[in-house]
Amino acid sequence: MFVFWKKDVIGALVLAIIASEGLQLLAKGTPALGQTGINSVERVVAVFSSTGNVQLLMFSVLIGAFLALIRESGGVAATVQWLVNMGLARTARRARLITMFAGVAVFVESNLSVLTAGILSRGLFDKFKMSRAQLAYLVDSTSAPVCILILLNGWGAYVLGLLDGYDLPGGKVSALWHSVPLNFYAIVTLVIAFYVAWTGKVFGPMKESEKRLEQELAGLSTVPPTKVRFMVLPLITLIGGMAGFMLWSGHGDLTQGNGSQSMLYATLCGILVAYLLMIFQPQFNHQSLMALCFTGMGELLQLVSIVLLSIALGASLKVLGTGAYIAGLVGEFLPLVLVAPVLFLAGAAMSFTTGTSWGTFAILIPLGMPLVESLHLPPDLVLAAILGGGIFGDHCSPISDTTAVSSIASGCDLLEHVRTQMPYALVAGSISLVLYFLAGLVML
């Protein structure tokens, strides 16, 4: 609540970390204020002990350099002009649909989907005077739902791994594939996003963002169009590099690739291509390009700080046992028809408080699958409720990495993105909750 009261995400994260560490000390019987502060600092420092965390933070910084280079090269403006001239993005509706199509097409990894759609569509949304908040909503509400519905990616492999060892009717692969049409949150979210893209109608805080659009556009630099290749080639390098490094790090298996490592290496390759394209232009030299890179990285420093504190808070809450406590609220004494709705809500609460849908899956699937075995529940319904709940909470959470990456890719303030997306997520979540209850009545 502090986030929305004071509109200070960093302050809220710092207070949350201190509170979590203080509660841990209190549970041990050593409530020392000084020790709480020290432990909080150490919790943030410990983030850097993980290679994956460091890779994610480096990527979050370097993507600022990538965005600055393609923007100042004139490639973004040229690409927008080309799309408009070709008739592919002649109207605002087509621009919004292109954004969704790009997110759906790149279903290999959710963050890659967000980056591709966000970077490609920034200029289009500026061209047709649509807010960056709307862009952030569309890319965020397309990426994870598409990844969890198509499943031919790391998401599918991860969930299959979590299902190992359970005696499910028809097997784990059958349970996973049959969960797709029952993943109501992902489906409803995509339907609502498509409705917004098709009609352009928005409500709630998003409408306020559209009204403030003139102020937003006034602060954006206007770079004259140059060559389409200045944007397209670095972007293709980023996408192709991501897929290539996923294959490399997964030893030939795309679904086993290291996402954070692949994003980092692909971004470095994209920056290199952009640099080589621009260095031969008379208006640029090595010094000016380096200055551009550091300017772009500086623009994202606040957002990177949020990512850092979010990771630290998630780790602290894990030690505190927040997720396990929420999971413990779901027991075998519920009426069978309420098991799926309660698992959905538990998944949403866990994902919201920890900022990770994958971590939520790791806790709730081992809880839900034994219920399937002992109570003879439909495995596809239970699994779908867990997966949908995890994504629901992730969409609402200001400490989710996907939320942060969506803000970065779209050029939207993080708090603004959370505030404007939440009403849509809550509508989709409410509809899904009712659908899980009705599905329980029909299937049990």
Side-chain angles (χ1 to χ4, degrees):
M1 294 304 294
F2 183 89
V3 174
F4 300 101
W5 174 40
K6 290 294 185 180
K7 303 188 184 304
D8 181 4
V9 180
I10 291 179
L13 287 169
V14 170
L15 287 176
I17 293 171
I18 293 172
S20 178
E21 294 298 321
L23 287 171
Q24 290 176 48
L25 287 173
L26 192 62
K28 295 176 182 177
T30 55
L33 183 61
Q35 188 64 39
T36 299
I38 292 172
N39 285 7
S40 299
V41 174
E42 288 300 315
R43 182 68 66 187
V44 176
V45 172
V47 170
F48 296 96
S49 64
S50 165
T51 302
N53 289 341
V54 174
Q55 289 167 343
L56 176 61
L57 292 169
M58 288 181 66
F59 153 76
S60 299
V61 173
L62 289 171
I63 197 66
F66 177 85
L67 294 171
L69 288 175
I70 64 171
R71 179 186 68 214
E72 297 302 321
S73 70
V76 174
T79 303
V80 170
Q81 188 179 68
W82 179 79
L83 288 171
V84 172
N85 292 341
M86 289 292 291
L88 297 174
R90 192 174 296 165
T91 64
R93 173 186 290 175
R94 290 190 179 185
R96 292 189 296 267
L97 292 175
I98 284 176
T99 302
M100 285 200 68
F101 175 77
V104 171
V106 188
F107 60 84
V108 174
E109 208 275 335
S110 57
N111 284 332
L112 179 60
S113 171
V114 164
L115 282 172
T116 304
I119 293 171
L120 177 66
S121 303
R122 275 183 170 207
L124 290 174
F125 271 62
D126 295 342
K127 168 78 175 177
F128 292 105
K129 295 181 171 56
M130 296 181 290
S131 72
R132 293 288 181 86
Q134 186 178 168
L135 173 58
Y137 160 70
L138 287 176
V139 299
D140 200 359
S141 296
T142 301
S143 60
V146 164
C147 287
I148 203 64
L149 290 175
I150 295 182
L151 289 171
L152 299 174
N153 48 37
W155 290 64
Y158 177 71
V159 176
L160 280 176
L162 293 175
L163 292 174
D164 269 341
Y166 296 107
D167 184 19
L168 303 178
K172 62 179 183 178
V173 175
S174 174
L176 181 59
W177 283 112
H178 283 91
S179 73
V180 171
L182 296 173
N183 199 327
F184 300 129
Y185 180 78
I187 295 171
V188 172
T189 296
L190 284 174
V191 169
I192 294 175
F194 179 78
Y195 171 81
V196 171
W198 184 263
T199 64
K201 294 181 179 178
V202 294
F203 66 89
M206 187 81 74
K207 186 171 286 188
E208 298 173 15
S209 289
E210 298 296 327
K211 290 178 181 178
R212 294 195 305 270
L213 190 57
E214 290 185 9
Q215 296 176 0
E216 292 180 12
L217 293 179
L220 297 174
S221 60
T222 54
V223 180
T226 52
K227 301 292 184 182
V228 172
R229 65 175 178 269
F230 289 164
M231 175 180 176
V232 172
L233 290 181
L235 188 57
I236 290 175
T237 302
L238 181 71
I239 298 169
M242 179 74 179
F245 284 117
M246 287 282 283
L247 280 170
W248 172 71
S249 60
H251 304 288
D253 186 351
L254 190 71
T255 63
Q256 299 299 316
N258 186 319
S260 58
Q261 182 185 59
S262 300
M263 283 194 300
L264 174 60
Y265 291 171
T267 303
L268 287 169
C269 290
I271 291 172
L272 178 61
V273 170
Y275 175 90
L276 292 175
L277 286 171
M278 297 171 68
I279 194 66
F280 295 106
Q281 303 304 308
Q283 67 269 38
F284 298 110
N285 56 41
H286 176 73
Q287 287 75 20
S288 65
L289 291 177
M290 287 298 98
L292 268 180
C293 288
F294 282 106
T295 299
M297 289 188 283
E299 290 171 355
L300 295 184
L301 185 58
Q302 182 179 14
L303 208 51
V304 174
S305 300
I306 291 172
V307 174
L308 169 62
L309 293 172
S310 297
I311 296 171
L313 177 59
S316 184
L317 291 174
K318 185 176 181 180
V319 175
L320 185 63
T322 303
Y325 172 76
I326 295 173
L329 298 178
V330 183
E332 296 186 18
F333 303 104
L334 285 170
L336 294 184
V337 73
L338 293 180
V339 170
V342 170
L343 283 172
F344 176 75
L345 290 176
M350 287 176 58
S351 185
F352 179 84
T353 55
T354 61
T356 167
S357 55
W358 283 35
T360 298
F361 303 158
I363 293 173
L364 279 186
I365 286 178
L367 176 72
M369 293 307 105
L371 293 179
V372 169
E373 294 175 333
S374 61
L375 301 178
H376 306 292
L377 298 171
D380 46 1
L381 178 63
V382 172
L383 182 59
I386 293 171
L387 299 180
I391 297 175
F392 175 32
D394 191 78
H395 273 170
C396 295
S397 178
I399 64 172
S400 161
D401 63 334
T402 309
T403 303
V405 174
S406 298
S407 301
I408 292 171
S410 305
C412 176
D413 176 73
L414 176 62
L415 180 57
E416 180 78 355
H417 172 44
V418 173
R419 194 174 67 89
T420 54
Q421 176 167 267
M422 188 171 288
Y424 294 89
L426 291 175
V427 169
S430 301
I431 294 172
S432 302
L433 187 63
V434 173
L435 290 175
Y436 279 118
F437 177 73
L438 295 176
L441 289 175
V442 173
M443 299 177 68
L444 296 174

